[in-house]
Amino acid sequence: MRSIWNGAISFGLVSIPIKLVNATESHSISFRQIHVSDGGRVRYRKVCELDGEEVPAAEIGKGYEEADGSIVPITDEDLARLPIPTAKTIEIVSFVPAEEIDPLQMDAAYYLAANGATAAKPYTLLREALKRSRKVAIAKYALRGRERLGMLRVVDDVIAMHGLLWPDEIRQPEGVAPEASVTVREAELDLADALMATLGEVEIASLHDDYREAVEAMLAAKTGEGFEPAEAMVEPAGGQVIDLMAALESSVRAAKASRAGGSGDSAESAAEAEVTPIRGRRTPAASAPAPKAVGGKKSTASTGTAKKTAAAKKTAAGGKKSTATAKGAAGTKSGAGARAGARSTKSASAAGAKSAGTGRASAGGATAGAGTAKKAAPRKRSSA
């Protein structure tokens, strides 16, 4: 790997010659600006404001602009003569536990490579000292025209340096946290812990840039036979979350189904948050008075059946009369009108004679039976 800076690590009275190598690289795809009408490249030209001529890179220097707009020229020699010890040295100032470094301060990362055979021994000494102490080294160094803060730690068998922001470069999070007072229940914390335990079991090495791969596939298709953009598969978002417990439970189910390789339907249904209001919940007993109404219908029906049975026993004579009448009606429908009329007349006269002989009690019983039959008739029609 190509080094971007040469210097030394100052470790007390020990000096370790090193080369600075980039530890990270960007795989993002960059685009050029073009003229849409003809596809021509649009370039930026560096032009001098005084003569209007384009200036080559070899003739471009540095300058500091004053408040009145005047420019003070600054050369590389001027910067090299500055009386700072970190111009070509990574000066270690202290050793601290790694937990004391705020991740917000992390910046670019570099590898420190031993520069030459003489650097191997002190380089290994510093590496093993960092390993045994389980601490990181805080250092100051100058790079690209400014002094910077760094953190040295061991990665495998190499010393790595992370650029750190200065403490005054970290902004205070004023007005960022929610202003409303919120209370979190223990049950919600338990579900959040379960979700964290499920989602936390992922290998960082397995993660990759889906967007970059899609852009590369699109570019390959455009340079080939042709490109037809496919419709993006966007997963529908869940509803507005009102019940946090329901959302957490659904998230845990979805994460477990994804980890276990479950079916897509179960994972998709679990991913949608259940929208359940927290306030104003009603218990099933209070919100379902229907069983009482159903029971009332059953008791009414049984009472009606009992009344019908009693009425049938008391009015046996009346039942005979009804049977004869029904037979007369059936005879009329079958077309034997005269014969049915005669039978009905005889039956009616016989029934009248019997009821006259039985007295007032039988007449009262027949009247009660007729009333009961009238009351029971609507019950039959409603049940039918």
Side-chain angles (χ1 to χ4, degrees):
M1 290 184 285
R2 186 175 64 88
S3 62
I4 61 173
W5 184 85
N6 293 334
I9 300 176
S10 176
F11 178 30
L13 297 177
V14 179
S15 180
I16 309 172
I18 54 96
K19 296 184 295 184
L20 196 66
V21 178
N22 278 321
T24 62
E25 59 184 358
S26 176
H27 290 165
S28 61
I29 299 174
S30 59
F31 300 101
R32 302 293 187 185
Q33 289 187 333
I34 62 171
H35 190 195
V36 177
S37 61
D38 56 12
R41 173 86 177 273
V42 176
R43 297 180 180 271
Y44 291 100
R45 299 180 183 274
K46 296 182 179 180
V47 179
C48 178
E49 292 182 352
L50 299 179
D51 55 16
E53 298 292 332
E54 185 177 355
V55 181
E59 299 180 8
I60 298 177
K62 299 182 181 69
Y64 176 77
E65 184 176 2
E66 295 280 2
D68 58 357
S70 60
I71 302 295
V72 179
I74 302 295
T75 64
D76 293 337
E77 290 76 14
D78 296 334
L79 296 175
R81 287 195 296 265
L82 291 176
I84 55 174
T86 57
K88 280 291 184 179
T89 304
I90 299 175
E91 183 181 3
I92 296 177
V93 295
S94 66
F95 293 88
V96 299
E99 294 78 13
E100 293 187 8
I101 304 301
D102 190 346
L104 284 175
Q105 290 185 261
M106 294 290 187
D107 201 359
Y110 307 95
Y111 289 134
L112 302 182
N115 193 4
T118 57
K121 181 72 174 180
Y123 184 94
T124 305
L125 174 64
L126 177 59
R127 183 191 67 194
E128 296 304 318
L130 289 173
K131 280 185 179 180
R132 190 168 69 172
S133 65
R134 297 182 180 178
K135 293 183 178 181
V136 297
I138 303 301
K140 295 170 66 177
Y141 66 101
L143 181 65
R144 299 191 179 105
R146 55 173 295 207
E147 190 174 51
R148 303 169 186 265
L149 193 63
M151 178 190 74
L152 277 64
R153 70 184 184 97
V154 178
V155 178
D156 296 333
D157 289 333
V158 176
I159 299 176
M161 183 175 68
H162 295 269
L164 299 179
L165 299 175
W166 295 99
D168 59 357
E169 293 180 320
I170 305 297
R171 300 176 63 185
Q172 296 298 321
E174 297 178 357
V176 178
E179 296 181 358
S181 177
V182 179
T183 303
V184 179
R185 296 179 293 172
E186 289 294 330
E188 295 169 341
L189 285 174
D190 293 340
L191 283 173
D193 291 340
L195 180 59
M196 290 168 61
T198 305
L199 296 179
E201 299 174 359
V202 62
E203 295 182 2
I204 300 297
S206 64
L207 302 178
H208 58 278
D209 190 349
D210 294 327
Y211 180 79
R212 178 174 61 87
E213 291 181 357
V215 173
E216 289 176 349
M218 180 264 293
L219 293 175
K222 273 184 170 290
T223 55
E225 297 179 356
F227 173 71
E228 294 183 2
E231 184 177 355
M233 300 297 293
V234 180
E235 296 183 0
Q240 181 182 2
V241 177
I242 299 178
D243 192 342
L244 184 58
M245 289 289 291
L248 288 170
E249 290 172 356
S250 300
S251 301
V252 172
R253 288 197 300 269
K256 288 182 178 179
S258 177
R259 292 292 179 189
S263 61
D265 295 339
S266 62
E268 182 179 350
S269 60
E272 296 180 0
E274 298 176 7
V275 181
T276 308
I278 294 179
R279 297 181 180 178
R281 286 184 177 177
R282 302 175 64 185
T283 58
S287 60
K292 187 180 290 185
V294 174
K297 288 184 179 179
K298 287 185 178 179
S299 61
T300 306
S302 60
T303 306
T305 305
K307 286 182 180 180
K308 287 180 183 179
T309 306
K313 288 181 179 180
K314 289 181 181 180
T315 59
K320 290 181 180 180
K321 183 176 179 180
S322 301
T323 304
T325 307
K327 286 182 179 180
T332 305
K333 290 182 180 178
S334 62
R339 208 182 298 175
R343 289 179 181 177
S344 301
T345 306
K346 289 180 181 181
S347 300
S349 59
K354 287 182 180 181
S355 59
T358 53
R360 292 180 181 178
S362 300
T367 306
T372 307
K374 288 180 181 181
K375 290 181 180 180
R379 298 286 181 182
K380 282 187 176 182
R381 287 196 296 269
S382 63
S383 61

